[in-house]
Amino acid sequence: MLYDEFENLFNKIIFEKSKFDLLKKIAACPARYVGLFRPSKPKAKIIQNLLQSHEIRFGDAFEILVEKYLVESGYKILEKKFPDGEGSYLSVDQIFSKGKNVFFVEQKIRDDHDSTKKRGQIDNFEKKISVITENHKSSKIKGFFYFVDKSLSKNHRFYTAEIAKLSGDYGIDLQLAYGADLFDSLGHLQVWPELLGHLEMWKERIPELPEINFDKDSQASFEEIKQLRPGTYRKLFSNRELEELLCVLFPSGDTLRLLADYFAQQHQNNEGQIYKTLQDMCAETAKRLAGK
């Protein structure tokens, strides 16, 4: 995989829609961001929220990345979601085949679960083993319980013992894997060094902290957030307790003015009275924030 493809994939999944999702969360539960009984100011809380969101999306990006490397290595990607036989559906992180061999992967970024969660991880893994072995009786199956970050192996002893039991009980090859182990076991030793090189370069290029000034690139911010539901905007701009927070996000009001023009056009197109209301709220908020 070329570095440019790697970078585009990670930036798209991790950073795209960050502003959109942030505003949705603020509107839905403003008390999580402001209030006398919070030890942090709005700016710090916004940064904390975005960093947490990026951590979650980092795991999502790695799932897609691993799948792309599998495709490059000649594997066929199989349907990941399947009924569990009890009226619900299970979703496996990776399931792929080559010839009569079927492989599946339960993938996490790091092995740092506490005692309760590690038991739940194994129970969930067994559910997937049960369904996959039932659905692929004529195939040779191999499963991986895989952690991307090999520097953390808090529960290595526990997982080793539990996976050995599952392997014996179900009669299939199961492996606990960290870092390079997954691709090395599949016989693709070149993948992990390339992946690490791309990741190191990507981390050098990303900003130290997420950008929380929406007006720094008002046009890009506008394009990202303009499709939020009217009710979300109404909650944001009618709640004066969010004033300090809005000052952080829209310090010059440029993005809000673009939104006001957009809502005015929506109202002219007979999309509803709510857009006239939002136009006025955006314009008034932009004027008020610019005067602070």
Side-chain angles (χ1 to χ4, degrees), residues 3 35 51 69-70 167 190 213:
Y3 173 76
L51 291 174
Y69 270 115
L70 291 170
S167 183
Q190 80 287 355
N213 178 357

Side-chain angles (χ1 to χ4, degrees), residues 71-94:
V71 171
E72 284 189 3
S73 300
Y75 295 95
K76 178 183 178 182
I77 304 302
L78 305 179
E79 176 59 46
K80 294 183 176 184
K81 191 174 182 181
F82 37 81
D84 65 358
E86 299 178 350
S88 298
Y89 281 83
L90 290 172
S91 181
V92 64
D93 295 326
Q94 312 288 349

Side-chain angles (χ1 to χ4, degrees), residues 108-163:
K108 307 293 178 187
I109 292 296
R110 54 189 63 88
D111 174 8
D112 60 354
H113 298 114
D114 61 25
S115 58
T116 303
K117 287 187 177 181
K118 71 182 183 184
R119 181 73 258 173
Q121 296 293 328
I122 287 294
D123 290 344
N124 185 51
F125 190 49
E126 181 173 4
K127 288 180 183 178
K128 296 175 183 181
I129 293 170
S130 179
V131 175
I132 290 169
T133 53
E134 181 67 25
N135 290 349
H136 297 278
K137 291 180 179 179
S138 61
S139 301
K140 183 178 180 181
I141 300 171
K142 180 167 185 174
F144 295 89
F145 197 73
Y146 177 49
F147 295 99
V148 174
D149 184 355
K150 67 176 182 179
S151 68
L152 287 171
S153 55
K154 178 180 177 181
N155 302 297
H156 183 276
R157 182 178 298 178
F158 170 80
Y159 287 135
T160 298
E162 291 297 321
I163 289 170

Side-chain angles (χ1 to χ4, degrees), residues 29-40:
C29 195
R32 290 183 178 178
Y33 296 84
V34 295
L36 184 61
F37 297 99
R38 290 236 166 247
S40 55

